[in-house]
Amino acid sequence: QQKACNMSLDDPHNLDAQLESQKSKLDGLVDDDAQLLWDFTAVASKEMAVSTVIQYLSKLRSISEMSDEPVETLTPRQMDTVLSELEEERGWSSKGTRRNYEKALRVLCRELRNARVEEFGRDYSSTLPPRGSIRLSDRDEKKITPDDILSREQIEKLIQDCCRTSRDRAIVA
């Protein structure tokens, strides 16, 4: 007997359920952070793809859970410390992961600083760090550069010196 699938053709990744799951986890946060992230969700849902909101909420919730202070009151330096603690605890293997968390913080601040005071009854622009204060980490240096690519002469020498069969030559060439 097959199990019924709750997946919709309009939502094959079940993003609506994933978003609801992230929202339900907000209530377990400190009140200030829960409200901050509820407000962010309201603003972000108007402008961003659901999958993007899910990713940001997940990262911001992790930051909130790791922090001793409400996210709204963190300075950029404190945010950096929280990210370092998360990085150490979770064993992030690339700078890209940390960079994605930094982007989530940056987007949170940008969106709520720009939100109308009437919409949420509070002026986030006076409490969140100013624009440009949350810096993104350098990108991974694992990108291939022109210096990493063999020249035609180096490839020919590799084929001549190391390739004994036509299969080897085809792989290298």
Side-chain angles (χ1 to χ4, degrees):
Q1 185 177 14
Q2 280 190 334
K3 217 176 172 181
C5 183
N6 292 334
M7 182 173 44
S8 150
L9 292 176
D10 294 332
D11 186 13
H13 300 291
N14 212 11
L15 294 175
D16 290 337
Q18 289 182 47
L19 181 58
E20 289 309 311
S21 173
Q22 284 298 324
K23 287 178 177 179
S24 71
K25 294 174 183 176
L26 295 181
D27 294 331
L29 300 177
V30 177
D31 287 346
D32 289 341
D33 281 355
Q35 188 59 55
L36 178 80
L37 295 182
W38 275 111
D39 291 351
F40 171 74
T41 303
V43 171
S45 294
K46 295 176 189 174
E47 301 176 13
M48 298 176 199
V50 174
S51 58
T52 305
V53 176
I54 292 166
Q55 292 300 314
Y56 285 148
L57 276 180
S58 174
K59 289 168 179 57
L60 294 167
R61 189 175 42 77
S62 294
I63 292 166
S64 171
E65 291 167 349
M66 179 60 75
S67 177
D68 295 332
E69 302 292 325
V71 172
E72 185 178 350
T73 65
L74 295 177
T75 65
R77 179 167 287 182
Q78 290 170 316
M79 289 176 182
D80 188 57
T81 300
V82 170
L83 291 179
S84 294
E85 292 168 2
L86 267 172
E87 184 173 11
E88 185 176 319
E89 179 183 281
R90 296 184 178 186
W92 295 339
S93 60
S94 79
K95 291 180 183 178
T97 302
R98 181 185 180 100
R99 193 173 167 84
N100 288 336
Y101 279 75
E102 292 165 344
K103 283 183 199 172
L105 281 168
R106 186 183 266 189
V107 169
L108 167 85
C109 292
R110 181 191 68 215
E111 294 299 322
L112 290 180
R113 272 194 315 266
N114 293 337
R116 293 188 339 265
V117 176
E118 308 81 52
E119 191 169 357
F120 301 116
R122 51 195 305 196
D123 181 10
Y124 283 112
S125 66
S126 64
T127 57
L128 291 170
R131 182 174 186 206
S133 62
I134 300 173
R135 303 229 182 258
L136 298 180
S137 299
D138 292 335
R139 294 185 182 272
D140 275 339
E141 289 146 19
K142 295 178 184 175
K143 302 272 187 216
I144 296 173
T145 65
D147 293 338
D148 297 325
I149 300 171
L150 296 176
S151 68
R152 178 179 277 302
E153 294 79 27
Q154 290 170 314
I155 293 171
E156 289 171 358
K157 180 151 178 54
L158 182 64
I159 291 171
Q160 182 182 11
D161 294 348
C162 302
C163 296
R164 308 268 183 262
T165 66
S166 56
R167 177 186 162 274
D168 291 347
R169 286 188 292 277
I171 291 171
V172 172

